[in-house]
Amino acid sequence: MIIHTLTSSLVGQRLQRWLAFRPLTLGLGLAVMAALVLVFINETGYRQSTRALQEIGEAQGERLVLSSLVQNIVDAENGQLGYLLTGQPQYREPYDAAHKQISNQLAALRKLYEGKPEESARLATLNDHVNRKLAEIEMTVRLRESGNDDAWKFVVTTDVGREEMAAIRTEAAGLMALSNQSLMAGQAQIARSLATARLGIGLAALTGLFAFYLYLRQTHRLREAGQRQQQALERERNALEDEVRERTANLAELATHLQEVRENERGFLARELHDELGALLTAAKLDAARLKSRLASSPEATERLQHLTELLNSGIALKRRIIEDLRPSSLANLGLVASLEILGREFAERSGIQVEMALEPVELSEGNQLTVYRMVQESLTNIGKYAKASEATIVLQNFGSHVQVEVADNGQGFDVRKMKPATHGLAGMRHRVETAHGKLNIASTPGRGTTLRAMLPVAPPPAVALANGLPPTPPAPGG
Ligand SMILES: Nc1ncnc2c1ncn2[C@@H]1O[C@H](COP(=O)(O)OP(=O)(O)O)[C@@H](O)[C@H]1O
Ligand SMILES: [Mg+2]
Protein backbone atom coordinates (compact mmCIF):
# COMPACT_ATOMS: atom_id res chain seq x y z
CA MET A 1 0.00 0.00 0.00
CA ILE A 2 2.78 2.40 1.03
CA ILE A 3 4.86 1.29 -1.95
CA HIS A 4 1.90 1.86 -4.22
CA THR A 5 1.31 5.36 -2.85
CA LEU A 6 5.02 6.11 -3.13
CA THR A 7 5.21 4.92 -6.74
CA SER A 8 2.08 6.77 -7.72
CA SER A 9 3.34 9.93 -6.05
CA LEU A 10 6.69 9.50 -7.85
CA VAL A 11 4.90 9.02 -11.16
CA GLY A 12 2.73 12.03 -10.34
CA GLN A 13 5.81 14.12 -9.61
CA ARG A 14 7.44 13.07 -12.88
CA LEU A 15 4.25 13.79 -14.79
CA GLN A 16 4.00 17.20 -13.15
CA ARG A 17 7.61 17.94 -13.93
CA TRP A 18 7.07 16.85 -17.53
CA LEU A 19 3.91 18.95 -17.79
CA ALA A 20 5.78 21.91 -16.41
CA PHE A 21 8.63 21.23 -18.81
CA ARG A 22 6.43 20.65 -21.91
CA PRO A 23 5.81 24.30 -22.82
CA LEU A 24 9.53 24.89 -22.46
CA THR A 25 10.35 22.09 -24.89
CA LEU A 26 7.56 23.33 -27.16
CA GLY A 27 9.05 26.82 -27.15
CA LEU A 28 12.54 25.47 -27.73
CA GLY A 29 11.30 23.19 -30.54
CA LEU A 30 9.53 26.10 -32.20
CA ALA A 31 12.63 28.27 -31.96
CA VAL A 32 14.82 25.53 -33.47
CA MET A 33 12.26 24.88 -36.21
CA ALA A 34 12.02 28.57 -37.02
CA ALA A 35 15.81 28.78 -37.26
CA LEU A 36 15.95 25.70 -39.53
CA VAL A 37 13.19 27.05 -41.81
CA LEU A 38 14.99 30.36 -41.99
CA VAL A 39 18.26 28.70 -42.94
CA PHE A 40 16.49 26.52 -45.54
CA ILE A 41 14.64 29.47 -47.13
CA ASN A 42 17.80 31.54 -47.19
CA GLU A 43 19.85 28.75 -48.73
CA THR A 44 17.27 27.88 -51.41
CA GLY A 45 16.76 31.56 -52.25
CA TYR A 46 20.52 32.03 -52.51
CA ARG A 47 20.91 29.08 -54.91
CA GLN A 48 17.95 30.06 -57.06
CA SER A 49 19.10 33.67 -57.24
CA THR A 50 22.64 32.63 -58.15
CA ARG A 51 21.31 30.41 -60.92
CA ALA A 52 19.02 33.19 -62.15
CA LEU A 53 21.90 35.68 -62.15
CA GLN A 54 23.97 33.21 -64.13
CA GLU A 55 21.12 32.80 -66.66
CA ILE A 56 20.74 36.58 -66.89
CA GLY A 57 24.45 36.88 -67.53
CA GLU A 58 24.31 34.22 -70.23
CA ALA A 59 21.27 35.86 -71.88
CA GLN A 60 23.05 39.22 -71.88
CA GLY A 61 26.11 37.54 -73.43
CA GLU A 62 23.93 35.98 -76.12
CA ARG A 63 22.30 39.32 -76.92
CA LEU A 64 25.65 41.00 -77.16
CA VAL A 65 27.12 38.38 -79.49
CA LEU A 66 23.94 38.29 -81.55
CA SER A 67 23.77 42.06 -82.04
CA SER A 68 27.45 42.33 -82.94
CA LEU A 69 27.04 39.39 -85.37
CA VAL A 70 24.20 41.22 -87.11
CA GLN A 71 26.28 44.39 -87.03
CA ASN A 72 29.23 42.55 -88.61
CA ILE A 73 27.02 41.18 -91.41
CA VAL A 74 25.67 44.68 -92.03
CA ASP A 75 29.27 45.94 -92.09
CA ALA A 76 30.25 43.17 -94.50
CA GLU A 77 27.30 44.06 -96.77
CA ASN A 78 28.27 47.76 -96.65
CA GLY A 79 31.86 46.85 -97.52
CA GLN A 80 30.60 44.70 -100.41
CA LEU A 81 28.41 47.49 -101.78
CA GLY A 82 31.18 50.11 -101.41
CA TYR A 83 33.65 47.88 -103.22
CA LEU A 84 31.20 46.94 -105.95
CA LEU A 85 30.39 50.60 -106.62
CA THR A 86 33.93 52.01 -106.46
CA GLY A 87 36.18 49.08 -107.15
CA GLN A 88 38.57 50.63 -104.58
CA PRO A 89 40.16 47.96 -102.32
CA GLN A 90 39.91 50.15 -99.15
CA TYR A 91 36.09 49.89 -99.47
CA ARG A 92 36.48 46.14 -98.97
CA GLU A 93 38.13 46.54 -95.62
CA PRO A 94 34.94 46.49 -93.47
CA TYR A 95 33.95 43.34 -95.28
CA ASP A 96 37.29 41.63 -94.64
CA ALA A 97 37.28 42.64 -90.96
CA ALA A 98 33.69 41.52 -90.42
CA HIS A 99 34.19 38.27 -92.29
CA LYS A 100 36.95 37.21 -89.93
CA GLN A 101 34.84 37.84 -86.82
CA ILE A 102 31.62 36.30 -88.04
CA SER A 103 32.76 32.66 -87.86
CA ASN A 104 34.13 33.21 -84.31
CA GLN A 105 30.84 34.74 -83.26
CA LEU A 106 28.89 31.85 -84.69
CA ALA A 107 31.11 29.41 -82.78
CA ALA A 108 30.59 31.43 -79.58
CA LEU A 109 26.85 31.35 -80.09
CA ARG A 110 26.90 27.59 -80.61
CA LYS A 111 28.69 27.25 -77.32
CA LEU A 112 26.24 29.57 -75.54
CA TYR A 113 23.21 27.67 -76.90
CA GLU A 114 24.55 24.26 -75.92
CA GLY A 115 21.82 22.24 -74.18
CA LYS A 116 19.08 24.62 -75.46
CA PRO A 117 17.33 22.73 -78.29
CA GLU A 118 15.05 25.55 -79.49
CA GLU A 119 17.84 28.11 -79.62
CA SER A 120 20.24 25.60 -81.20
CA ALA A 121 17.72 24.87 -84.00
CA ARG A 122 17.22 28.58 -84.69
CA LEU A 123 20.99 29.13 -84.63
CA ALA A 124 21.44 26.39 -87.23
CA THR A 125 18.95 28.18 -89.54
CA LEU A 126 20.69 31.51 -88.85
CA ASN A 127 24.01 29.87 -89.59
CA ASP A 128 22.75 28.69 -92.97
CA HIS A 129 21.46 32.13 -93.89
CA VAL A 130 24.71 33.74 -92.78
CA ASN A 131 26.73 31.25 -94.84
CA ARG A 132 24.57 31.89 -97.87
CA LYS A 133 24.80 35.64 -97.39
CA LEU A 134 28.60 35.45 -97.01
CA ALA A 135 28.80 33.23 -100.09
CA GLU A 136 26.73 35.76 -102.08
CA ILE A 137 29.01 38.60 -100.93
CA GLU A 138 32.11 36.54 -101.66
CA MET A 139 30.86 35.71 -105.14
CA THR A 140 30.04 39.30 -106.10
CA VAL A 141 33.34 40.55 -104.73
CA ARG A 142 35.26 37.89 -106.75
CA LEU A 143 33.30 38.75 -109.89
CA ARG A 144 34.10 42.50 -109.40
CA GLU A 145 37.75 41.67 -108.88
CA SER A 146 37.88 39.73 -112.10
CA GLY A 147 36.09 42.65 -113.89
CA ASN A 148 33.02 40.53 -114.67
CA ASP A 149 30.62 43.46 -114.14
CA ASP A 150 27.53 41.96 -115.78
CA ALA A 151 27.76 38.86 -113.69
CA TRP A 152 28.03 40.64 -110.28
CA LYS A 153 25.26 43.07 -111.28
CA PHE A 154 23.11 40.09 -112.15
CA VAL A 155 23.76 38.44 -108.81
CA VAL A 156 22.93 41.68 -107.00
CA THR A 157 19.69 42.11 -108.87
CA THR A 158 18.53 38.56 -108.12
CA ASP A 159 17.59 39.85 -104.62
CA VAL A 160 19.20 36.77 -103.03
CA GLY A 161 21.36 38.99 -100.79
CA ARG A 162 18.41 41.05 -99.62
CA GLU A 163 16.31 38.00 -98.83
CA GLU A 164 19.13 36.35 -96.91
CA MET A 165 19.69 39.56 -94.98
CA ALA A 166 15.97 39.71 -94.09
CA ALA A 167 16.04 36.05 -92.98
CA ILE A 168 19.18 36.74 -90.87
CA ARG A 169 17.42 39.66 -89.19
CA THR A 170 14.32 37.53 -88.50
CA GLU A 171 16.30 34.64 -87.02
CA ALA A 172 18.48 36.99 -84.96
CA ALA A 173 15.37 38.77 -83.69
CA GLY A 174 13.86 35.37 -82.77
CA LEU A 175 16.99 34.37 -80.87
CA MET A 176 17.07 37.80 -79.24
CA ALA A 177 13.46 37.30 -78.08
CA LEU A 178 14.38 33.92 -76.60
CA SER A 179 17.29 35.50 -74.72
CA ASN A 180 14.98 38.23 -73.53
CA GLN A 181 12.63 35.55 -72.26
CA SER A 182 15.30 33.83 -70.16
CA LEU A 183 16.47 37.26 -68.96
CA MET A 184 13.00 38.07 -67.76
CA ALA A 185 12.56 34.59 -66.30
CA GLY A 186 15.77 35.13 -64.31
CA GLN A 187 14.57 38.47 -63.07
CA ALA A 188 11.23 36.96 -62.08
CA GLN A 189 13.04 34.16 -60.28
CA ILE A 190 15.07 36.68 -58.29
CA ALA A 191 11.94 38.62 -57.43
CA ARG A 192 10.24 35.39 -56.32
CA SER A 193 13.22 34.42 -54.16
CA LEU A 194 13.23 37.83 -52.57
CA ALA A 195 9.49 37.60 -51.85
CA THR A 196 9.86 34.10 -50.39
CA ALA A 197 12.78 35.21 -48.25
CA ARG A 198 10.74 38.17 -47.05
CA LEU A 199 7.78 35.98 -46.15
CA GLY A 200 9.98 33.28 -44.59
CA ILE A 201 11.93 35.76 -42.49
CA GLY A 202 8.71 37.37 -41.36
CA LEU A 203 7.21 34.00 -40.38
CA ALA A 204 10.38 32.84 -38.68
CA ALA A 205 10.60 36.10 -36.74
CA LEU A 206 6.98 35.70 -35.62
CA THR A 207 7.61 32.08 -34.63
CA GLY A 208 10.72 33.15 -32.73
CA LEU A 209 8.70 35.80 -30.92
CA PHE A 210 6.03 33.24 -30.10
CA ALA A 211 8.66 30.83 -28.79
CA PHE A 212 10.11 33.62 -26.68
CA TYR A 213 6.65 34.41 -25.36
CA LEU A 214 6.17 30.72 -24.43
CA TYR A 215 9.52 30.72 -22.71
CA LEU A 216 8.73 33.86 -20.72
CA ARG A 217 5.30 32.53 -19.74
CA GLN A 218 6.77 29.25 -18.60
CA THR A 219 9.55 30.94 -16.64
CA HIS A 220 6.93 33.08 -14.97
CA ARG A 221 4.86 30.01 -14.07
CA LEU A 222 7.88 28.15 -12.73
CA ARG A 223 8.79 31.14 -10.61
CA GLU A 224 5.25 31.33 -9.28
CA ALA A 225 5.26 27.62 -8.48
CA GLY A 226 8.61 28.05 -6.71
CA GLN A 227 7.19 30.92 -4.67
CA ARG A 228 4.13 28.89 -3.75
CA GLN A 229 6.36 26.03 -2.63
CA GLN A 230 8.50 28.43 -0.64
CA GLN A 231 5.42 29.84 1.05
CA ALA A 232 4.14 26.37 1.87
CA LEU A 233 7.53 25.49 3.36
CA GLU A 234 7.54 28.68 5.37
CA ARG A 235 4.05 27.98 6.70
CA GLU A 236 5.14 24.47 7.66
CA ARG A 237 8.25 25.80 9.39
CA ASN A 238 6.25 28.42 11.26
CA ALA A 239 3.76 25.77 12.38
CA LEU A 240 6.65 23.61 13.59
CA GLU A 241 8.23 26.53 15.39
CA ASP A 242 4.91 27.35 17.04
CA GLU A 243 4.60 23.76 18.16
CA VAL A 244 8.13 23.73 19.55
CA ARG A 245 7.47 27.01 21.36
CA GLU A 246 4.24 25.66 22.81
CA ARG A 247 5.89 22.44 23.96
CA THR A 248 8.80 24.33 25.48
CA ALA A 249 6.34 26.55 27.33
CA ASN A 250 4.46 23.47 28.53
CA LEU A 251 7.68 21.87 29.74
CA ALA A 252 8.73 25.06 31.52
CA GLU A 253 5.32 25.19 33.17
CA LEU A 254 5.67 21.56 34.21
CA ALA A 255 9.13 22.22 35.65
CA THR A 256 7.80 25.20 37.61
CA HIS A 257 4.94 23.09 38.86
CA LEU A 258 7.29 20.30 39.94
CA GLN A 259 9.54 22.75 41.78
CA GLU A 260 6.48 24.18 43.46
CA VAL A 261 5.23 20.74 44.46
CA ARG A 262 8.70 19.89 45.75
CA GLU A 263 8.84 23.01 47.88
CA ASN A 264 5.31 22.33 49.17
CA GLU A 265 6.22 18.75 50.06
CA ARG A 266 9.36 19.89 51.82
CA GLY A 267 7.34 22.49 53.72
CA PHE A 268 4.76 19.88 54.68
CA LEU A 269 7.44 17.43 55.85
CA ALA A 270 9.18 20.16 57.83
CA ARG A 271 5.91 21.08 59.51
CA GLU A 272 5.08 17.46 60.39
CA LEU A 273 8.56 16.89 61.76
CA HIS A 274 8.36 20.05 63.79
CA ASP A 275 4.84 19.60 65.10
CA GLU A 276 4.62 15.84 65.65
CA LEU A 277 8.19 14.65 66.15
CA GLY A 278 9.07 17.88 67.95
CA ALA A 279 6.15 17.45 70.35
CA LEU A 280 7.10 13.81 70.97
CA LEU A 281 10.75 14.56 71.65
CA THR A 282 9.89 17.52 73.91
CA ALA A 283 7.41 15.40 75.87
CA ALA A 284 10.03 12.65 76.23
CA LYS A 285 12.59 15.17 77.44
CA LEU A 286 10.18 16.55 80.03
CA ASP A 287 9.40 13.02 81.27
CA ALA A 288 13.12 12.29 81.55
CA ALA A 289 13.59 15.48 83.60
CA ARG A 290 10.75 14.50 85.93
CA LEU A 291 12.15 10.97 86.35
CA LYS A 292 15.59 12.40 87.05
CA SER A 293 14.34 14.30 90.12
CA ARG A 294 12.56 11.22 91.45
CA LEU A 295 15.39 8.77 90.87
CA ALA A 296 18.07 11.04 92.36
CA SER A 297 18.88 8.31 94.91
CA SER A 298 20.04 5.77 92.31
CA PRO A 299 23.29 6.90 90.69
CA GLU A 300 23.03 4.26 87.97
CA ALA A 301 19.53 5.34 87.01
CA THR A 302 20.61 9.00 87.10
CA GLU A 303 23.48 8.17 84.76
CA ARG A 304 21.16 6.31 82.39
CA LEU A 305 18.68 9.18 82.45
CA GLN A 306 21.49 11.61 81.71
CA HIS A 307 22.44 9.47 78.70
CA LEU A 308 18.79 9.37 77.58
CA THR A 309 18.53 13.17 77.84
CA GLU A 310 21.67 13.53 75.70
CA LEU A 311 20.22 11.15 73.10
CA LEU A 312 17.01 13.15 73.08
CA ASN A 313 18.98 16.37 72.64
CA SER A 314 20.84 14.84 69.68
CA GLY A 315 17.51 13.77 68.19
CA ILE A 316 16.14 17.28 68.61
CA ALA A 317 19.27 18.76 66.96
CA LEU A 318 19.05 16.26 64.09
CA LYS A 319 15.37 17.05 63.60
CA ARG A 320 16.19 20.77 63.56
CA ARG A 321 18.92 20.28 60.95
CA ILE A 322 16.66 18.18 58.74
CA ILE A 323 13.87 20.73 59.03
CA GLU A 324 16.29 23.51 58.25
CA ASP A 325 17.51 21.70 55.18
CA LEU A 326 14.02 20.90 54.03
CA ARG A 327 12.65 24.35 54.49
CA PRO A 328 15.00 27.06 55.70
CA SER A 329 12.99 28.65 58.50
CA SER A 330 15.89 31.02 59.02
CA LEU A 331 14.79 32.77 55.79
CA ALA A 332 11.53 33.89 57.35
CA ASN A 333 12.92 34.34 60.84
CA LEU A 334 16.38 35.82 60.29
CA GLY A 335 16.31 36.98 56.67
CA LEU A 336 18.32 36.04 53.55
CA VAL A 337 21.72 37.38 54.65
CA ALA A 338 21.74 35.49 57.96
CA SER A 339 20.42 32.31 56.27
CA LEU A 340 23.22 32.46 53.69
CA GLU A 341 25.76 33.05 56.46
CA ILE A 342 24.52 29.95 58.28
CA LEU A 343 24.56 27.97 55.04
CA GLY A 344 28.11 29.05 54.23
CA ARG A 345 29.41 28.48 57.73
CA GLU A 346 27.87 25.01 57.99
CA PHE A 347 29.21 24.12 54.52
CA ALA A 348 32.71 25.28 55.54
CA GLU A 349 32.53 23.22 58.71
CA ARG A 350 31.29 20.14 56.88
CA SER A 351 33.58 20.28 53.83
CA GLY A 352 36.72 21.92 55.21
CA ILE A 353 36.65 24.40 52.32
CA GLN A 354 37.30 28.00 53.31
CA VAL A 355 34.27 30.16 52.55
CA GLU A 356 34.53 33.95 52.17
CA MET A 357 31.28 35.89 52.28
CA ALA A 358 30.39 39.47 51.36
CA LEU A 359 26.67 39.82 51.83
CA GLU A 360 24.81 43.11 51.45
CA PRO A 361 21.29 43.39 52.82
CA VAL A 362 18.76 43.14 49.99
CA GLU A 363 15.04 43.60 49.54
CA LEU A 364 13.66 40.60 47.72
CA SER A 365 10.30 38.94 47.61
CA GLU A 366 10.01 35.71 49.60
CA GLY A 367 9.98 33.72 46.36
CA ASN A 368 13.17 35.32 45.08
CA GLN A 369 14.85 34.95 48.48
CA LEU A 370 14.17 31.24 48.27
CA THR A 371 15.54 31.23 44.70
CA VAL A 372 18.79 32.86 45.87
CA TYR A 373 18.99 30.48 48.83
CA ARG A 374 18.46 27.37 46.68
CA MET A 375 20.98 28.61 44.12
CA VAL A 376 23.68 29.10 46.75
CA GLN A 377 22.76 25.76 48.32
CA GLU A 378 23.08 23.86 44.99
CA SER A 379 26.29 25.72 44.10
CA LEU A 380 27.87 24.79 47.44
CA THR A 381 26.75 21.18 47.03
CA ASN A 382 28.38 21.07 43.57
CA ILE A 383 31.58 22.63 44.93
CA GLY A 384 31.65 19.98 47.65
CA LYS A 385 30.97 17.18 45.14
CA TYR A 386 33.04 18.16 42.08
CA ALA A 387 35.21 21.24 42.41
CA LYS A 388 38.14 19.96 44.53
CA ALA A 389 38.46 23.59 45.62
CA SER A 390 40.25 25.05 48.63
CA GLU A 391 38.27 28.28 48.64
CA ALA A 392 34.80 29.47 47.81
CA THR A 393 33.20 32.92 47.88
CA ILE A 394 29.59 33.98 48.22
CA VAL A 395 28.79 37.58 47.23
CA LEU A 396 25.40 39.22 47.48
CA GLN A 397 25.11 42.74 46.04
CA ASN A 398 22.29 45.21 45.96
CA PHE A 399 21.94 47.26 42.76
CA GLY A 400 18.67 48.97 43.60
CA SER A 401 16.43 47.57 40.90
CA HIS A 402 18.09 44.16 40.97
CA VAL A 403 20.20 41.92 43.13
CA GLN A 404 23.28 40.01 42.08
CA VAL A 405 24.38 36.84 43.75
CA GLU A 406 27.64 35.14 42.90
CA VAL A 407 29.14 31.85 44.07
CA ALA A 408 32.69 31.12 42.93
CA ASP A 409 35.33 28.52 43.67
CA ASN A 410 38.98 28.02 42.80
CA GLY A 411 38.53 24.35 41.92
CA GLN A 412 39.11 22.32 38.79
CA GLY A 413 36.23 23.81 36.78
CA PHE A 414 34.50 22.08 33.88
CA ASP A 415 33.55 22.50 30.23
CA VAL A 416 30.18 24.27 30.28
CA ARG A 417 29.41 23.15 26.68
CA LYS A 418 29.86 19.48 27.55
CA MET A 419 27.33 19.12 30.33
CA LYS A 420 25.76 15.69 30.64
CA PRO A 421 22.09 15.76 29.73
CA ALA A 422 21.15 13.66 32.78
CA THR A 423 22.27 16.37 35.26
CA HIS A 424 19.58 18.68 36.53
CA GLY A 425 21.05 20.80 39.31
CA LEU A 426 22.27 23.67 37.12
CA ALA A 427 19.32 23.31 34.72
CA GLY A 428 16.86 23.57 37.62
CA MET A 429 18.79 26.56 38.92
CA ARG A 430 18.56 28.29 35.55
CA HIS A 431 14.87 27.50 35.34
CA ARG A 432 14.20 28.96 38.79
CA VAL A 433 16.16 32.14 37.99
CA GLU A 434 14.55 32.63 34.58
CA THR A 435 11.07 31.99 35.94
CA ALA A 436 11.78 34.86 38.33
CA HIS A 437 12.65 37.02 35.24
CA GLY A 438 16.31 36.89 36.18
CA LYS A 439 19.44 35.80 34.36
CA LEU A 440 21.92 33.10 35.25
CA ASN A 441 25.46 33.05 33.96
CA ILE A 442 27.73 30.03 34.39
CA ALA A 443 31.39 30.65 33.71
CA SER A 444 33.88 27.84 34.12
CA THR A 445 37.22 26.96 32.61
CA PRO A 446 38.75 23.54 33.24
CA GLY A 447 41.52 24.01 35.80
CA ARG A 448 40.54 27.57 36.69
CA GLY A 449 37.44 27.37 38.85
CA THR A 450 33.79 28.09 38.38
CA THR A 451 31.66 31.22 38.87
CA LEU A 452 27.88 31.23 38.95
CA ARG A 453 26.23 34.62 38.78
CA ALA A 454 22.51 35.34 38.97
CA MET A 455 20.74 38.67 38.50
CA LEU A 456 17.28 38.92 39.95
CA PRO A 457 14.84 41.81 39.75
CA VAL A 458 13.90 43.27 43.12
CA ALA A 459 10.20 43.47 42.31
CA PRO A 460 9.20 40.50 40.18
CA PRO A 461 5.90 40.60 38.28
CA PRO A 462 3.01 39.10 40.29
CA ALA A 463 2.81 36.07 37.99
CA VAL A 464 6.42 35.24 38.80
CA ALA A 465 5.88 35.43 42.53
CA LEU A 466 3.03 32.96 42.11
CA ALA A 467 5.08 30.69 39.88
CA ASN A 468 7.84 30.47 42.44
CA GLY A 469 5.07 29.47 44.86
CA LEU A 470 6.61 29.87 48.28
CA PRO A 471 4.90 27.36 50.54
CA PRO A 472 3.60 28.46 53.91
CA THR A 473 6.54 29.07 56.24
CA PRO A 474 6.79 26.47 59.00
CA PRO A 475 7.25 27.75 62.50
CA ALA A 476 10.78 28.10 63.79
CA PRO A 477 12.12 24.79 64.90
CA GLY A 478 11.81 24.97 68.59
CA GLY A 479 12.42 22.95 71.74
N1 LIG B 1 31.69 23.99 40.92
C1 LIG B 1 31.89 23.00 40.02
N2 LIG B 1 33.15 22.57 39.78
C2 LIG B 1 33.38 21.58 38.90
N3 LIG B 1 32.39 20.96 38.19
C3 LIG B 1 31.12 21.34 38.39
C4 LIG B 1 30.81 22.38 39.32
N4 LIG B 1 29.46 22.56 39.28
C5 LIG B 1 28.98 21.69 38.36
N5 LIG B 1 29.97 20.93 37.83
C6 LIG B 1 29.87 19.93 36.78
O1 LIG B 1 28.62 20.14 36.12
C7 LIG B 1 27.84 18.96 36.14
C8 LIG B 1 26.37 19.36 36.28
O2 LIG B 1 26.06 19.77 37.57
P1 LIG B 1 24.59 19.69 38.08
O3 LIG B 1 23.72 20.26 37.00
O4 LIG B 1 24.50 20.35 39.40
O5 LIG B 1 24.26 18.17 38.11
P2 LIG B 1 24.61 17.05 39.23
O6 LIG B 1 25.03 17.78 40.45
O7 LIG B 1 23.32 16.33 39.36
O8 LIG B 1 25.68 16.24 38.62
C9 LIG B 1 28.39 18.15 37.27
O9 LIG B 1 28.22 16.80 37.03
C10 LIG B 1 29.86 18.54 37.28
O10 LIG B 1 30.57 17.73 36.38
MG1 LIG C 1 24.41 19.38 41.41
Side-chain angles (χ1 to χ4, degrees):
M1 177 66 192
I2 291 171
I3 288 173
H4 172 74
T5 324
L6 264 178
T7 346
S8 62
S9 83
L10 262 179
V11 170
Q13 273 178 8
R14 280 202 189 147
L15 190 71
Q16 254 182 358
R17 226 176 293 150
W18 184 77
L19 280 178
F21 192 62
R22 201 180 50 165
L24 262 189
T25 42
L26 183 67
L28 193 68
L30 271 178
V32 169
M33 211 173 71
L36 285 180
V37 167
L38 203 64
V39 169
F40 175 73
I41 288 173
N42 194 36
E43 199 53 31
T44 325
Y46 171 74
R47 278 170 196 216
Q48 283 175 347
S49 303
T50 317
R51 209 179 312 128
L53 278 176
Q54 198 183 338
E55 274 169 20
I56 287 173
E58 281 172 11
Q60 276 172 340
E62 289 159 16
R63 278 161 54 104
L64 207 71
V65 178
L66 265 176
S67 56
S68 64
L69 174 73
V70 173
Q71 188 59 48
N72 277 335
I73 293 168
V74 171
D75 287 351
E77 195 179 37
N78 284 341
Q80 171 208 18
L81 293 178
Y83 181 64
L84 288 180
L85 287 176
T86 60
Q88 302 287 320
Q90 70 265 30
Y91 280 92
R92 264 188 64 175
E93 268 165 24
Y95 160 72
D96 290 335
H99 192 261
K100 271 187 212 143
Q101 287 180 21
I102 284 169
S103 57
N104 287 343
Q105 281 165 337
L106 282 170
L109 280 175
R110 263 194 297 280
K111 199 146 194 234
L112 281 171
Y113 289 138
E114 240 167 42
K116 294 180 182 174
E118 197 183 348
E119 283 87 340
S120 297
R122 280 212 110 129
L123 180 64
T125 319
L126 177 68
N127 203 354
D128 290 347
H129 289 300
V130 171
N131 285 346
R132 276 204 288 276
K133 176 69 185 167
L134 289 182
E136 182 257 348
I137 293 174
E138 180 92 17
M139 187 195 289
T140 51
V141 169
R142 289 266 162 75
L143 289 171
R144 179 77 170 87
E145 267 174 359
S146 60
N148 204 341
D149 287 346
D150 291 338
W152 70 259
K153 278 180 190 160
F154 172 75
V155 174
V156 170
T157 49
T158 53
D159 262 3
V160 174
R162 208 173 51 81
E163 279 161 18
E164 289 301 338
M165 196 62 209
I168 286 170
R169 283 188 202 279
T170 312
E171 289 308 319
L175 281 171
M176 202 67 111
L178 285 175
S179 289
N180 281 348
Q181 260 175 30
S182 50
L183 201 100
M184 264 143 61
Q187 279 172 344
Q189 177 60 54
I190 289 177
R192 260 199 314 279
S193 295
L194 282 175
T196 316
R198 183 181 175 203
L199 188 74
I201 288 171
L203 278 177
L206 283 180
T207 317
L209 277 180
F210 183 61
F212 187 57
Y213 161 74
L214 281 183
Y215 169 77
L216 282 185
R217 199 179 61 167
Q218 192 53 21
T219 317
H220 181 65
R221 280 193 188 161
L222 282 177
R223 202 181 309 127
E224 268 182 357
Q227 273 169 356
R228 274 199 300 278
Q229 219 166 348
Q230 188 70 27
Q231 279 164 359
L233 274 177
E234 232 159 74
R235 274 199 298 280
E236 222 164 277
R237 205 185 53 212
N238 286 347
L240 272 176
E241 270 172 11
D242 284 352
E243 202 176 318
V244 168
R245 251 199 302 279
E246 197 180 312
R247 292 213 177 156
T248 313
N250 285 347
L251 282 176
E253 221 168 86
L254 182 66
T256 310
H257 173 71
L258 287 177
Q259 272 180 354
E260 213 177 295
V261 168
R262 187 159 169 256
E263 288 297 343
N264 282 340
E265 286 282 304
R266 286 173 151 231
F268 174 75
L269 264 178
R271 249 187 340 271
E272 286 290 296
L273 282 175
H274 175 268
D275 293 352
E276 304 296 329
L277 187 64
L280 282 177
L281 289 174
T282 312
K285 221 180 129 180
L286 281 175
D287 280 354
R290 265 187 228 121
L291 277 177
K292 198 176 171 186
S293 59
R294 293 206 191 148
L295 295 176
S297 49
S298 161
E300 197 201 343
T302 310
E303 197 183 318
R304 286 248 157 247
L305 270 177
Q306 183 58 36
H307 185 64
L308 178 63
T309 310
E310 277 164 18
L311 282 179
L312 283 171
N313 280 339
S314 301
I316 287 167
L318 178 65
K319 178 209 71 175
R320 207 180 279 162
R321 218 172 53 236
I322 291 173
I323 288 176
E324 204 47 36
D325 191 44
L326 281 174
R327 180 67 189 83
S329 67
S330 54
L331 261 186
N333 299 328
L334 310 171
L336 180 61
V337 171
S339 305
L340 293 182
E341 263 168 11
I342 296 170
L343 199 61
R345 210 168 42 236
E346 284 181 355
F347 171 74
E349 278 165 17
R350 248 196 342 269
S351 64
I353 296 171
Q354 192 188 330
V355 179
E356 296 287 330
M357 287 183 271
L359 307 170
E360 284 177 13
V362 293
E363 297 234 344
L364 278 179
S365 68
E366 275 186 66
N368 283 1
Q369 285 187 33
L370 186 63
T371 299
V372 171
Y373 185 87
R374 291 287 185 224
M375 181 200 147
V376 176
Q377 201 175 29
E378 172 67 16
S379 302
L380 292 178
T381 310
N382 279 349
I383 292 172
K385 266 159 79 178
Y386 311 114
K388 295 188 183 144
S390 60
E391 245 176 61
T393 53
I394 307 170
V395 180
L396 183 66
Q397 278 172 292
N398 190 354
F399 288 110
S401 63
H402 62 272
V403 163
Q404 179 175 296
V405 56
E406 192 182 287
V407 183
D409 67 64
N410 64 347
Q412 62 180 1
F414 68 105
D415 191 343
V416 181
R417 290 163 304 174
K418 289 185 189 156
M419 268 193 341
K420 290 167 249 160
T423 57
H424 301 296
L426 294 178
M429 196 189 291
R430 185 182 292 283
H431 179 73
R432 252 181 207 277
V433 170
E434 283 174 3
T435 309
H437 285 218
K439 263 202 166 29
L440 177 74
N441 181 269
I442 304 172
S444 184
T445 319
R448 293 169 66 181
T450 305
T451 303
L452 273 85
R453 189 179 297 125
M455 297 278 246
L456 282 168
V458 165
V464 174
L466 264 180
N468 260 319
L470 194 70
T473 319

